Amino acid sequence: MRHRGPSAVTVLRLTVPILACTLALSTWATLDAVARTSAGGVRSAVLTVRQVSGGGGAGGGGTGSAPAGAPGSAGSGTPNPDALREALAADPASAGVYPGVELEALAPGQSATLTLRALGSSTVPFPFRVVEGRGVQATDEAVAGQGALDLLDVRVGQWVRVTTGGTPRILHIVGRNLEPERGGRVISTGLDTLDRPGDPSRPAFYSMVLRPGSDPARVQRELPTRTSALAGLAGQLDVRPAPDPAAQLTALRGSVVGLLVLLGLIALAELLTAAATGLREHRYDLGLLRAIGLTPRQAGAMMATRGAALALAGVALGTALGVPLARRLIDLQGRTGGVGEGIARAPSIGAVLTLAALTAAAAAALSALPALRAARLPGGDGVPRD
C-alpha cells in the first residue's frame, strides 16, 4: 500500500462521473414510478370529453363549452349528458367514465383562488395519482396538489375551508396527488360532495380512462365519430388529452440516455487515465516481481485486481453520495413545479449492480492489457537502473 495517495485520487476522480450516473439512473427510476400504478402496471391515458353547443343545428359549429348544470331540453338540439356518458362507457377503448365539474374556490381570507375539481364519486372514485395518503372514499374527502397544500398551509390529514360561489365547504384532505395543472393549486373531490343549493346539477365534462394498450391519439381522433353513431352527437364533442405528468416527463428519457452515454465516455476516460497512472506507479514493482519469477499473466491479474478494486470503491462512494443527492434534487424540482415531494426513486439494485459490474470489468481490462505488455518486455526493461 505504498501508493495510497494516488489511489485515493483515482477513486475520487472516478466518483464524480459515477455520482452523475447515479443521478441519471435515479431520474429514470422516478420517471418509471410516475408512469406506473401501485400494482406495477402502466398507467392508462385519460381523455377529457366536453359537449359543445350545437348552435341550433348541425351546422352551428359552436365552440363554447356547455355550462355546468344546464340540462338539455328535448327537441332543442342541446346535447344530452346522459346519452354522452352511455356512449362513452360503451366505447371499446373505455375502461371507465367519470363525470366532473370544476369550480373556482376562494382560500380562507378571500385573498387567493384555487380550483375545486369534482370528479367521479365516493362510490366510484376517479383513479387519482396519489403519492401521499390515500384516495377519496367518502363525501367531503379530497386529494390536493402540492400547490394547493402550500397555498392553504395544510398537510395531508387536515381539514380545510374553501368557498365556492359564496358557499363555504369544509373538506378533509386525505391524500396528495400528482397535479400538473395550475401549478398544483387544485383540490379534487367526488362529484357527490357538491350537494349544496346552487351547485351544478349536471357534469360539465367526462374523464374517460382508456384501456391499457389503447392509442390516445387515435382514440381522440376517432371518438367523436364513434360516439355520434350511438348518441347522435356529431360535431358536438371536444375531446382533449388530460394533462399527464408521466407523458410530460417522458421527453426527458432521451436526455437521460444521452447523459448516461456521455457520462460513460467520461468514466472510460478516467479509467484509461487510472490504468496508465497505475502502470507508471507500479512499473518498478512489476520489474522486481518479474525478476523473481512473475509471469506476464500474473502481472496482468495483479493490475486487473487493482483496477477493479479502485473502480468498485468509486462506484460505492459515488452511489452512496448520489442516491440521497438525487432524492433531494428531484423532490426540490417537484416542489418548485407544483407536483410536490415524495416522487423521487432510487435506482434499482439491479441497475446499481450492473453499473458496478461494467465499471469493474472495464477497469480490469484497461489495467491488465498494458500490464501484460509491460511484463513481456525483456527482464531488465521493467526495472529502473541506478
Side-chain angles (χ1 to χ4, degrees), residues 19 21 114 129 157 242 263 322 340:
L19 186 149
C21 282
L114 64 157
R129 297 172 185 255
L263 292 172

Side-chain angles (χ1 to χ4, degrees), residues 32-329:
D32 278 342
V34 170
R36 294 185 178 276
T37 64
S38 58
V42 177
R43 291 185 183 272
S44 301
V46 179
L47 298 179
T48 300
V49 183
R50 297 179 183 271
Q51 300 178 0
V52 295
S53 173
T63 59
S65 297
S73 57
S76 65
T78 304
N80 183 350
D82 294 332
L84 173 59
R85 181 174 186 175
E86 294 172 359
L88 293 176
D91 191 90
S94 173
V97 178
Y98 304 87
V101 297
E102 289 184 349
L103 304 173
E104 290 299 314
L106 290 173
Q110 314 292 307
S111 58
T113 61
L114 64 157
T115 299
L116 177 63
R117 177 187 296 138
L119 186 59
S121 66
S122 59
T123 55
V124 187
F126 181 80
F128 294 106
R129 297 172 185 255
V130 179
V131 294
E132 181 182 356
R134 59 174 176 82
V136 174
Q137 298 178 354
T139 57
D140 296 326
E141 290 186 348
V143 295
Q146 184 65 53
L149 296 177
D150 293 341
L151 177 66
L152 299 172
D153 192 23
V154 296
R155 298 188 302 272
V156 172
Q158 295 183 316
W159 295 78
V160 298
R161 180 181 181 273
V162 296
T163 304
T164 59
T167 302
R169 304 178 187 277
I170 298 178
L171 300 173
H172 185 202
I173 305 298
V174 297
R176 176 171 65 85
N177 66 314
L178 291 181
E179 183 53 70
E181 291 191 87
R182 301 174 178 85
R185 296 171 64 164
V186 178
I187 296 178
S188 301
T189 184
L191 193 60
D192 48 354
T193 298
L194 303 184
D195 56 359
R196 309 290 178 81
D199 286 342
S201 59
R202 285 188 177 272
F205 63 90
Y206 290 92
S207 286
M208 177 179 173
V209 179
L210 302 184
R211 294 185 182 276
S214 299
D215 182 5
R218 181 178 179 180
V219 176
Q220 179 184 3
R221 185 174 59 253
E222 298 177 354
L223 185 62
T225 303
R226 296 203 299 246
T227 304
S228 64
L230 295 176
L233 299 174
Q236 299 178 3
L237 295 183
D238 178 20
V239 183
R240 301 176 186 270
D244 185 358
Q248 295 173 5
L249 295 174
T250 299
L252 294 176
R253 292 186 184 272
S255 301
V256 173
V257 172
L259 180 60
L260 285 172
V261 172
L262 177 60
L263 292 172
L265 294 176
I266 295 174
L268 183 61
E270 291 294 344
L271 291 174
L272 285 170
T273 302
T277 302
L279 180 60
R280 185 170 58 252
E281 292 171 355
H282 292 80
R283 193 174 186 85
Y284 182 86
D285 299 337
L286 287 174
L288 291 177
L289 294 172
R290 173 83 184 280
I292 62 175
L294 183 74
T295 65
R297 181 173 297 179
Q298 290 171 333
M302 183 183 73
M303 295 304 296
T305 302
R306 173 189 179 274
L310 294 179
L312 290 176
V315 170
L317 183 58
T319 304
L321 295 176
V323 169
L325 179 61
R327 286 184 178 274
R328 185 176 297 272
L329 292 178

